[in-house]
């Protein structure tokens, strides 16, 4: 899995691509979110548009990241879910936990 981050109007957009699975993928996700929070970024948008697969470990890491950002007084939102990831979040009912957006400009504007 690859991750790169950029700043857009005070929001840290993390572009993810590849597979978020047990091992390297979930570690990269955890470290990327942790680094963003450590740098004082509390508005985080995860762009999952190029993520091809997430296993249960990856789902756990998304929830963990969401919780750690929230505990720091921040917000973590998801952007551009693929159909597979969207279906997975619906099956696990996590779709109701995450704020999911389909458009980056709308997502950026939704942060307070």
């Amino acid at each position: 899995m690859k991750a790169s981050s950029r700043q857009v109007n005070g929001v840290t957009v993390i572009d993810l691509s590849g597979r978020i699975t047990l091992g390297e993928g979930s570690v990269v996700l955890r470290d990327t979110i942790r680094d963003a929070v450590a740098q004082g970024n509390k508005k985080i948008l995860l762009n999952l548009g190029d993520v091809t697969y997430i296993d249960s470990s990856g789902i756990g890491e998304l929830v963990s990241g969401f919780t750690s950002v929230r505990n720091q007084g921040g917000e973590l939102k998801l952007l551009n879910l693929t159909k597979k990831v969207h279906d997975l979040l619906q099956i696990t009912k996590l779709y109701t936990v995450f704020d999911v957006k389909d458009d980056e400009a709308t997502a950026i504007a939704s942060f307070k």
Side-chain angles (χ1 to χ4, degrees):
M1 189 191 84
K2 292 183 179 176
S4 61
S5 63
R6 53 194 165 92
Q7 293 290 321
V8 181
N9 293 337
V11 175
T12 302
V13 180
I14 299 175
D15 298 304
L16 302 171
S17 62
R19 299 163 55 94
I20 305 175
T21 56
L22 181 64
E24 184 185 355
S26 58
V27 170
V28 169
L29 178 59
R30 180 186 321 137
D31 290 348
T32 303
I33 293 173
R34 185 179 297 159
D35 289 349
V37 172
Q39 292 169 8
N41 300 308
K42 294 185 177 179
K43 298 175 181 177
I44 298 175
L45 181 63
L46 292 182
N47 181 1
L48 302 176
D50 291 326
V51 171
T52 55
Y53 181 77
I54 297 181
D55 70 359
S56 59
S57 175
I59 291 290
E61 211 52 62
L62 283 178
V63 173
S64 175
F66 176 85
T67 304
S68 65
V69 172
R70 181 67 64 92
N71 287 343
Q72 297 292 320
E75 288 182 274
L76 183 144
K77 300 182 181 189
L78 305 181
L79 175 68
N80 291 331
L81 301 185
T82 62
K83 184 177 185 326
K84 281 184 183 176
V85 174
H86 179 275
D87 291 348
L88 189 59
L89 289 183
Q90 281 209 314
I91 290 168
T92 57
K93 302 200 184 302
L94 288 170
Y95 200 77
T96 59
V97 174
F98 290 104
D99 191 353
V100 179
K101 305 292 184 188
D102 294 324
D103 174 69
E104 183 172 317
T106 304
I108 299 290
S110 71
F111 283 93
K112 297 172 188 167

